[in-house]
């Protein structure tokens, strides 16, 4: 989304929720547009509260979160982009300056063979293909790789995991995303998750992601106590309160907020809470340059922001629709893409998110095709 000001500054934001639904929250009666017209876009804290009050009026006494927060988050990111551009500063400098000059990224990929993703998303890549892809990431300079594994811990799966670890060596961080609840079978419980964590421990995994239902604080607490590897979750949580329960209860080892789910204002609060708790903040999501740049600007100001998710392009066939779309969303849709050098994201010098503006010709071409 874009937010335009009467001084000619345009801010950009994004979310992963359905576009038609987000448009309804922004453009509809008593929507976010109506709440924000005439306001100072640099008052990000006050405007978040104003949007939240408007959202509460719309949803009545329903639960927190959902696509309403996604819509607010997209607008909120754009407001922070405007605030930086208005002052001629990157967002991390608005926040008091960076404590890290660069932040490691990990290549995010999937064991699903994307060539068949529309017929059956769970046709697994062969072990040889996964080993080859992992080696490519190491050659590209990545120091960490995450595989979207799912409930794929049969003998073949474990052999593949062992082969990947052997191929990349002991010094490359290797992570697995179980992908709850998409891959869960009926009756899945904490004991099952502990069994998977023990398998992961054999191969020196850095963390296991989303092994239980995303709101199961008590289950995650038990899993974390009994796991030989670090346990991570948070991508489905859309409010500070949701994340705070996991942090305060030490239910996990790593919190994974997603700025496209909750916006910059809330993301900063979650990062601060986790820093104070001594818990690493490793955000979720490699889907767009806006997402990556938002995480970079925010985490550069915290000591516990140790690594950021980034798209693993080697998982796509050259020229495939998936690869072209990923390149568009991360490279060509904005004027100045984030820079990765030797496995590390570099801090931008450009103001706001550091991305410039959307390239509208690319957007129009995407809409036409």
């Amino acid at each position: 989304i874009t937010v335009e000001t009467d001084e000619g500054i345009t801010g950009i934001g994004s979310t992963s929720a359905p576009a038609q639904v987000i448009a309804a929250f922004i453009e509809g009666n008593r929507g976010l547009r109506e709440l924000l017209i005439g306001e100072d876009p640099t008052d990000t804290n006050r405007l978040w509260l104003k949007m939240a009050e408007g959202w509460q009026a719309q949803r009545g006494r329903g639960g927190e979160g959902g696509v309403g927060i996604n819509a607010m988050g997209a607008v909120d990111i754009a407001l922070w982009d405007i605030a930086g551009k208005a002052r001629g500063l990157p967002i991390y400098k608005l926040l008091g300056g960076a404590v890290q000059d660069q932040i490691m990224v990990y290549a995010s990929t999937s064991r699903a063979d994307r060539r068949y993703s529309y017929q059956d998303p769970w046709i697994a890549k062969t072990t040889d293909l996964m080993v080859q892809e992992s080696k490519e990431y190491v050659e590209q300079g990545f120091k960490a790789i995450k595989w979207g594994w799912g409930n794929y811990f049969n003998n073949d799966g474990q052999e593949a995991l062992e082969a990947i670890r052997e191929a990349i060596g002991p010094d490359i961080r290797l992570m697995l995303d179980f992908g709850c609840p998409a891959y869960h079978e009926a009756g899945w419980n904490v004991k099952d998750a502990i069994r998977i964590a023990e398998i992961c421990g054999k191969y020196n995994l850095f963390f296991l992601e989303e092994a239980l239902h995303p709101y199961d604080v008590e289950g995650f607490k038990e899993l974390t106590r009994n796991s030989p590897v670090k346990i991570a979750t948070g991508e489905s949580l859309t409010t500070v309160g949701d994340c705070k329960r996991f942090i305060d209860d030490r239910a996990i080892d790593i919190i994974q907020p997603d700025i496209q789910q909750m916006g910059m204002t809330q993301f900063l609060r979650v990062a601060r809470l986790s820093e104070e708790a001594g818990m690493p903040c490793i955000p979720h999501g490699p889907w767009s340059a806006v997402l990556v740049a938002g995480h970079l600007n925010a985490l550069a100001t915290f000591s516990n922001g140790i690594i950021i998710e980034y798209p693993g392009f080697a998982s796509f066939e050259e020229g495939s629709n998936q690869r072209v779309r990923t390149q568009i969303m991360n490279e060509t849709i904005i004027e100045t893409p984030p820079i990765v050098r030797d496995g590390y994201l570099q801090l931008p010098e450009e103001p706001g998110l550091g991305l410039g503006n959307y390239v509208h010709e690319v957007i129009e071409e995407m809409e036409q095709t």
Side-chain angles (χ1 to χ4, degrees):
I1 62 100
T2 59
V3 176
E4 299 175 354
T5 73
D6 57 3
E7 294 187 4
I9 301 172
T10 298
I12 59 176
S14 63
T15 184
S16 303
Q20 298 90 337
V21 179
I22 297 302
F25 276 105
I26 293 173
E27 304 287 354
N29 183 38
R30 301 175 69 189
L32 300 181
R33 173 195 287 274
E34 186 177 322
L35 292 172
L36 295 177
I37 290 295
E39 293 283 1
D40 181 343
T42 66
D43 290 341
T44 50
N45 287 331
R46 186 177 63 81
L47 294 184
W48 179 265
L49 292 176
K50 184 173 184 180
M51 287 192 290
E53 291 170 358
W55 166 225
Q56 288 168 354
Q58 284 191 339
R59 67 180 168 86
R61 295 186 179 273
E64 293 183 350
V67 290
I69 299 296
N70 296 161
M72 288 168 53
V75 172
D76 181 62
I77 294 168
L79 295 179
W80 276 94
D81 190 35
I82 290 170
K85 290 173 177 175
R87 293 173 172 85
L89 296 172
I91 290 172
Y92 66 85
K93 290 189 176 179
L94 290 185
L95 296 170
V99 299
Q100 306 183 70
D101 295 330
Q102 57 183 4
I103 300 180
M104 183 187 291
V105 290
Y106 69 80
S108 183
T109 185
S110 172
R111 64 94 179 171
D113 194 326
R114 314 245 185 183
R115 292 173 298 178
Y116 308 107
S117 60
Y118 293 104
Q119 291 94 339
D120 183 347
W122 306 127
I123 295 176
K125 294 172 181 172
T126 65
T127 295
D128 288 344
L129 192 57
M130 287 187 279
V131 166
Q132 176 188 335
E133 185 180 334
S134 297
K135 286 181 176 179
E136 283 187 47
Y137 293 131
V138 175
E139 291 169 1
Q140 291 168 9
F142 286 99
K143 311 296 188 292
I145 304 167
K146 186 182 81 177
W147 283 88
W149 209 252
N151 191 6
Y152 183 55
F153 290 90
N154 55 25
N155 289 337
D156 290 344
Q158 292 187 57
E159 289 172 5
L161 191 55
E162 182 178 10
I164 291 169
R165 171 51 78 194
E166 183 177 350
I168 64 177
D171 297 329
I172 300 297
R173 287 176 172 172
L174 180 61
M175 297 85 77
L176 290 191
D177 180 357
F178 194 92
C180 164
Y183 311 111
H184 284 191
E185 55 209 34
W188 183 264
N189 58 34
V190 176
K191 288 184 178 180
D192 296 315
I194 292 172
R195 177 179 59 84
I196 298 304
E198 289 172 347
I199 293 172
C200 292
K202 297 178 184 178
Y203 307 107
N204 188 29
L205 262 67
F206 185 58
F207 67 70
L208 173 64
E209 177 178 333
E210 277 215 311
L212 293 169
H213 190 279
Y215 288 89
D216 186 1
V217 177
E218 292 302 316
F220 268 104
K221 191 187 301 184
E222 184 177 350
L223 171 60
T224 299
R225 282 199 305 262
N226 291 280
S227 171
V229 299
K230 293 182 178 69
I231 299 299
T233 198
E235 68 179 77
S236 297
L237 309 179
T238 59
T239 69
V240 175
D242 289 337
C243 295
K244 190 174 187 297
R245 285 187 279 274
F246 282 88
I247 295 169
D248 288 351
D249 286 359
R250 306 298 304 187
I252 50 177
D253 299 298
I254 295 168
I255 188 72
Q256 296 181 293
D258 182 331
I259 204 168
Q260 282 194 168
Q261 291 274 54
M262 61 174 52
M264 175 73 76
T265 298
Q266 285 202 115
F267 184 93
L268 291 168
R269 291 179 60 193
V270 172
R272 176 67 65 199
L273 286 172
S274 59
E275 183 183 53
E276 291 170 350
M279 179 182 292
C281 181
I282 301 180
H284 164 266
W287 314 121
S288 75
V290 175
L291 178 65
V292 171
H295 289 159
L296 174 61
N297 274 275
L299 289 188
T301 66
F302 294 97
S303 61
N304 64 326
I306 59 174
I307 191 169
I308 292 173
E309 189 166 5
Y310 193 78
F313 284 92
S315 64
F316 307 107
E317 279 192 297
E318 191 68 41
S320 67
N321 288 338
Q322 297 97 325
R323 187 181 182 95
V324 170
R325 184 169 62 241
T326 302
Q327 287 175 318
I328 287 172
M329 293 303 295
N330 285 275
E331 296 175 357
T332 58
I333 201 172
I334 37 82
E335 292 174 329
T336 54
I339 297 172
V340 175
R341 186 178 299 127
D342 194 29
Y344 287 83
L345 270 169
Q346 307 299 305
L347 293 184
E349 293 298 325
E350 294 79 9
L353 288 168
L355 302 174
N357 294 311
Y358 284 135
V359 180
H360 287 287
E361 312 88 83
V362 176
I363 296 174
E364 290 169 3
E365 183 179 346
M366 286 175 66
E367 290 172 344
Q368 290 169 5
T369 58

